[in-house]
């Protein structure tokens, strides 16, 4: 029984590490989606771009980039960030993934 456990243990550790990595990527995707939505909404309701950008950077993962454009009276905000293992864990074992989200909001009339 001990030999079987010794053979299976590395596989179980690798599986757990993979699940933690997937969870971290999913969480980063949710955060960039929320950040893009908040910045688009803030800009559309009349906040200045620096205010909206600051709001997005507070919600997004560290090191995120926030871009804005205007198309046909709508505000388009794109947020991108790198997602890796939580707390820097697994940094050398699994690659970072670039996640991004775009949000569109109609500009409100004053």
């Amino acid at each position: 029984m001990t030999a079987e456990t010794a053979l299976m243990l590395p596989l179980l550790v690798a599986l757990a590490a993979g699940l933690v990595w997937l969870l971290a990527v999913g969480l980063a995707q949710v955060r960039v989606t929320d950040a893009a939505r908040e910045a688009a909404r803030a800009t559309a309701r009349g906040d200045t771009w620096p205010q909206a950008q600051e709001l997005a950077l507070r919600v997004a993962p560290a090191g995120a980039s926030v871009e804005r454009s205007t198309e046909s009276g709508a505000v388009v905000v794109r947020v991108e960030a790198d997602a890796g293992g939580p707390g820097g864990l697994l940094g050398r074992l699994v690659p970072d993934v670039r996640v991004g989200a775009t949000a569109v909001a109609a500009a409100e009339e004053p």
Side-chain angles (χ1 to χ4, degrees):
M1 185 67 145
T2 304
E4 291 84 4
T5 304
L7 290 174
M8 289 300 285
L9 192 59
L11 179 63
L12 293 175
V13 169
L15 179 64
L19 291 175
V20 168
W21 178 75
L22 283 174
L23 181 65
V25 171
L27 180 60
Q29 180 64 51
V30 168
R31 290 180 66 192
V32 296
T33 301
D34 288 345
R37 184 178 51 235
E38 290 296 326
R41 187 179 307 153
T43 304
R45 73 174 176 243
D47 290 2
T48 65
W49 175 241
Q51 290 172 326
Q53 191 175 27
E54 180 186 343
L55 179 62
L57 291 173
R58 261 190 274 149
V59 175
S65 64
V66 183
E67 299 173 358
R68 167 194 62 155
S69 63
T70 305
E71 299 175 8
S72 304
V75 177
V76 180
V77 176
R78 175 90 182 146
V79 179
E80 291 185 351
D82 288 327
L89 294 174
L90 312 173
R92 297 189 186 268
L93 298 176
V94 294
D96 283 349
V97 175
R98 189 86 172 153
V99 293
T102 302
V104 180
E108 295 180 7
E109 296 296 323

